Amino acid sequence: MQLLPGPVRRFAAWCAVILLASGVGYVAIRLCVEFRTAVTPALLALLGTALLRPLHARLVRAHVQRSLAAGLTCVAVLAVVGGAVYIVVSALVETGDQIVASLRNAAKGVADHFGAAGTSLDDVASNARELLGKFGGTAASGVVTGISVVGEMLAMAVLALLLVFFFLRDSDQAVGTVRALAPSGAADTVEAMARRAFGAVEGFMRGTTLIALIDAVCITVGLLVLRVPGAVGLGALVFVGAYIPYLGAFISGAVAVLVALADRGFVIALWALGVVLAVQVLEGHVLQPMIQSRTVQMHPAVVLLALTAGASVAGILGMLLAVPLTAAAFGVVHELQGRYGASDATTAFSGPAAGPEPSSGSGDS
């Protein structure tokens, strides 16, 4: 190795480090996939704990016993999430037929103006129910698999809620546990990394929740002014979709525009589209820089790559977990850079100055 130039040795060392880190990461991901029924609830519980910790802390400061405070927090979350899911599902079920009818009317309008091309669209719209029936028949053949998947999801949701309870109740013991599990002599570093990672996740969850609430309120008010049916449910869908950056906003906005098109016509649908775009501009240029710039700073390209990787590993659930986990990884990297990068720079710059002064020869003798 001494025969190789210094830059080549450093390049080889970095390649070995990258290969080793990639191998460890791949094995960790494969293990998480294999044990997803246990890993997924734990990750969801960590996200829930990061979001709910301020409420639990406030109850504890109000002299509520820790277990009771954790239980009340979980009950409140269950009520809010259950209510939101009910509102969204009921609103979409009520407007589903209207969306199909509006698409058929739109296809007829295109047929009147563009002839054969429009006729083909009209045929697609008129046969929508038949296509759905065929897909439904295919899906019915796998009903046993579907029931098992639903049961697995419910079990993971219950486990995640129980873990949130325990994480909140025993949050005062988290630092001691981390230090006890850390290698000898590295407790301070591991604690700092854990605090930084959890702080990044906490900042992401709080910021995203606040932005989602503002988006949902603005879009709900706009849809109510336009008298679009199911405005409250669509607002709840916007709130839920905001936890999946970019894609969630696109899907929830598209659903709102379709519902407006179904019930109120083309002009109102354009107004609804304008409301959705205005809210997205407000989020991208005002809310994101003001709320999340202090906690999570990730380039949109990094977010999109994280979403793609999460979707390839675990589908929609992976997309939900990808960004906060990436934020935690960035927090750990920044903590390591702050600790070791600063010390290396200090050593590099202070090393020559700290050494003995060169001899001035026989001039002093």
Side-chain angles (χ1 to χ4, degrees):
M1 291 296 292
Q2 297 298 329
L3 299 178
L4 297 176
V8 176
R9 292 200 302 269
R10 286 193 294 270
F11 175 74
W14 275 110
C15 289
V17 170
I18 292 173
L19 288 175
L20 179 61
S22 300
V24 172
Y26 177 79
V27 172
I29 291 174
R30 295 307 305 172
L31 288 176
C32 289
V33 172
E34 291 296 328
F35 298 100
R36 61 184 180 276
T37 53
V39 174
T40 301
L43 294 176
L44 292 176
L46 286 175
L47 297 184
T49 303
L51 180 61
L52 301 173
R53 195 170 66 91
L55 176 59
H56 178 261
R58 181 168 297 183
L59 291 175
V60 172
R61 286 195 299 268
H63 305 291
V64 179
Q65 201 267 342
R66 295 190 66 88
S67 297
L68 180 59
L72 292 176
T73 303
C74 293
V75 170
V77 171
L78 188 61
V80 172
V81 173
V85 171
Y86 174 78
I87 292 173
V88 170
V89 172
S90 61
L92 294 180
V93 169
E94 291 176 359
T95 56
D97 292 336
Q98 294 176 341
I99 293 175
V100 174
S102 68
L103 292 177
R104 184 181 292 110
N105 293 333
K108 289 181 180 179
V110 173
D112 294 337
H113 290 86
F114 298 100
T119 302
S120 62
L121 293 175
D122 184 36
D123 293 338
V124 172
S126 62
N127 294 328
R129 292 187 179 277
E130 181 180 354
L131 293 175
L132 289 175
K134 292 181 179 180
F135 284 122
T138 303
S141 62
V143 64
V144 176
T145 303
I147 292 175
S148 64
V149 170
V150 171
E152 180 179 337
M153 293 178 62
L154 289 177
M156 288 193 297
V158 172
L159 179 58
L161 188 62
L162 291 175
L163 289 176
V164 168
F165 170 80
F166 290 119
F167 288 169
L168 288 173
R169 190 193 66 177
D170 302 328
S171 58
D172 57 333
Q173 305 174 13
V175 174
T177 303
V178 170
R179 295 184 68 89
L181 295 176
S184 177
D188 293 338
T189 302
V190 173
E191 178 186 348
M193 292 168 55
R195 287 184 180 275
R196 192 68 177 265
F198 187 78
V201 174
E202 195 173 37
F204 171 81
M205 293 300 295
R206 292 184 187 179
T208 302
T209 301
L210 182 57
I211 293 173
L213 182 61
I214 296 175
D215 289 353
V217 170
C218 292
I219 289 182
T220 300
V221 171
L223 296 179
L224 287 175
V225 171
L226 296 174
R227 293 185 294 175
V228 175
V232 177
L234 293 172
L237 181 62
V238 170
F239 180 82
V240 175
Y243 287 96
I244 302 178
Y246 305 118
L247 183 60
F250 173 77
I251 294 176
S252 58
V255 172
V257 173
L258 283 176
V259 173
L261 178 65
D263 189 77
R264 301 285 291 149
F266 184 73
V267 176
I268 299 299
L270 287 180
W271 279 102
L273 178 62
V275 170
V276 172
L277 292 178
V279 171
Q280 295 306 315
V281 171
L282 174 66
E283 175 186 340
H285 292 81
V286 178
L287 298 180
Q288 289 279 1
M290 287 180 58
I291 295 175
Q292 286 195 337
S293 61
R294 299 179 181 178
T295 55
V296 180
Q297 296 181 353
M298 289 189 295
H299 194 276
V302 176
V303 175
L304 292 176
L305 289 175
L307 289 174
T308 304
S312 63
V313 173
I316 296 178
L317 188 61
M319 297 174 67
L320 177 64
L321 296 173
V323 179
L325 292 180
T326 305
F330 269 65
V332 172
V333 171
H334 290 161
E335 178 63 28
L336 292 176
Q337 286 179 341
R339 282 177 167 262
Y340 297 105
S343 62
D344 292 344
T346 302
T347 303
F349 283 105
S350 63
E357 296 182 358
S359 174
S360 58
S362 60
D364 295 335
S365 57

